């Protein structure tokens, strides 16, 4: 087994162990391989190992990889902050958006999706730690945001849950508190608005995804533990093997 498949097997084992330890089924947790800056060949190799979900945070780079790999079995997740002028690159290419924080962006995405007759699963990013360096809706603004969002339908958008990023390098108690806060916000949102299918929690990365699973994560975003250290600049490789 080569290195990338060995890493994949190790991560999957840890996901399964963390799920079972918290009384959950391993199948309830989806691994998103964060592939920003990594070349298409690395993604293709990981797909050969069995991985199906890939996460990108740059619209143009991600769109190029989707076209290069051209595998309908793969699902693509957009993870980074999304500018309205990049919405056209997301619609019809990506299957998931983890970082909605603007009603205007939702409207723009909906217009593109309607034109393409396409759909996009959407999670609202919440800045649970009020970190000024992070994106996302403030916890106190989440219910007003959902009230405004729910005021009228947006064609093509399926609102399915919440996403957050925990404090980098925080202790287990600090990190788990942030994840638990997101879970509680999702529960409050479902109760307030009766949102169908609002069950996804995107939280946890290479250093803390096992804690996120213990707190209810359904999507964990893992990059370094799968691919190794991220290159400093985007991959220039144009074709997968």
């Amino acid at each position: 087994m080569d290195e990338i498949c060995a890493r994949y097997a190790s991560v999957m084992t840890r996901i399964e162990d963390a799920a079972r330890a918290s009384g959950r089924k391993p199948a309830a947790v989806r691994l998103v391989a964060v592939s920003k800056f990594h070349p298409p060949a690395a993604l293709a190799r990981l797909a050969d190992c069995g991985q199906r979900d890939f996460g990108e945070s740059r619209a143009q780079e991600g769109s190029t990889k989707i076209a290069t790999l051209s595998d309908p079995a793969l699902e693509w997740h957009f993870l980074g902050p999304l500018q309205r002028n990049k919405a056209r690159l997301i619609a019809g290419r990506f299957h998931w958006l983890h970082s909605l924080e603007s009603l205007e962006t939702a409207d723009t995405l909906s217009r593109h999706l309607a034109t393409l007759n396409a759909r996009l699963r959407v999670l609202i990013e919440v800045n649970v730690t009020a970190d000024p360096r992070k994106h996302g809706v403030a916890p106190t603004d989440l219910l007003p945001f959902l009230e405004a969002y729910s005021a009228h339908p947006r064609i093509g958008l399926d609102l399915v849950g919440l996403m957050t990023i925990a404090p980098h390098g925080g202790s287990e108690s600090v990190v788990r508190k942030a994840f638990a806060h997101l879970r509680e916000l999702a529960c409050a949102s479902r109760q307030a608005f009766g949102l169908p299918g609002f069950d996804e929690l995107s939280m946890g990365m290479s250093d803390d995804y096992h804690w996120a699973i213990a707190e209810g994560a359904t999507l964990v975003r893992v990059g370094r533990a799968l691919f190794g250290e991220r290159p400093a600049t985007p991959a220039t490789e144009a074709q997968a093997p």
Side-chain angles (χ1 to χ4, degrees):
M1 182 183 294
D2 62 23
E3 184 176 3
I4 199 165
C5 285
R7 287 174 171 171
Y8 173 70
S10 176
V11 169
M12 290 302 295
T13 296
R14 198 174 191 194
I15 287 173
E16 291 165 4
D17 290 346
R20 291 193 179 99
S22 57
R24 303 176 62 201
K25 294 181 179 179
V29 183
R30 183 187 294 236
L31 171 63
V32 180
V34 181
S35 45
K36 175 183 176 182
F37 288 5
H38 292 287
L43 279 65
R45 184 67 193 113
L46 190 57
D48 288 342
C49 303
Q51 177 61 16
R52 290 295 175 263
D53 292 82
F54 291 88
E56 294 284 330
S57 55
R58 292 161 60 98
Q60 185 61 63
E61 180 186 354
S63 298
T64 299
K65 288 177 182 176
I66 292 169
T68 300
L69 294 178
S70 189
D71 183 346
L74 304 182
E75 290 205 20
W76 294 90
H77 301 243
F78 191 80
L79 308 176
L82 179 60
Q83 299 173 347
R84 290 174 64 189
N85 64 349
K86 300 293 186 182
R88 61 181 177 80
L89 297 175
I90 304 303
R93 293 184 174 90
F94 286 83
H95 303 91
W96 299 72
L97 171 68
H98 290 230
S99 52
L100 183 68
E101 57 178 333
S102 160
L103 294 173
E104 293 77 15
T105 299
D107 290 337
T108 302
L109 278 168
S110 181
R111 288 195 294 271
H112 288 297
L113 290 163
T115 300
L116 297 166
N117 193 28
R119 305 202 68 81
L120 182 69
R121 295 176 183 172
V122 174
L123 298 96
I124 300 168
E125 182 171 359
V126 184
N127 188 349
V128 295
T129 59
D131 187 337
R133 298 166 297 179
K134 290 186 172 69
H135 290 266
V137 177
T140 53
D141 292 336
L142 178 59
L143 292 185
F145 182 93
L146 281 167
E147 184 175 15
Y149 183 95
S150 302
H152 65 86
R154 288 174 170 83
I155 296 171
L157 295 182
D158 298 318
L159 194 60
V160 297
L162 304 177
M163 183 274 263
T164 200
I165 300 173
H168 178 69
S171 65
E172 178 179 356
S173 62
V174 168
V175 170
R176 289 188 64 162
K177 182 179 179 180
F179 293 150
H181 192 185
L182 192 75
R183 185 187 67 245
E184 292 160 2
L185 288 169
C187 182
S189 299
R190 286 192 296 271
Q191 291 177 350
F193 296 98
L195 299 170
F198 197 78
D199 301 318
E200 302 288 353
L201 291 175
S202 173
M203 54 191 195
M205 299 189 289
S206 285
D207 292 328
D208 55 24
Y209 65 91
H210 53 301
W211 296 335
I213 292 168
E215 296 296 341
T218 63
L219 296 146
V220 293
R221 311 178 305 272
V222 178
R224 176 168 36 81
L226 291 168
F227 294 106
E229 292 298 330
R230 179 183 296 163
T233 56
T236 57
E237 185 174 343
Q239 295 182 345

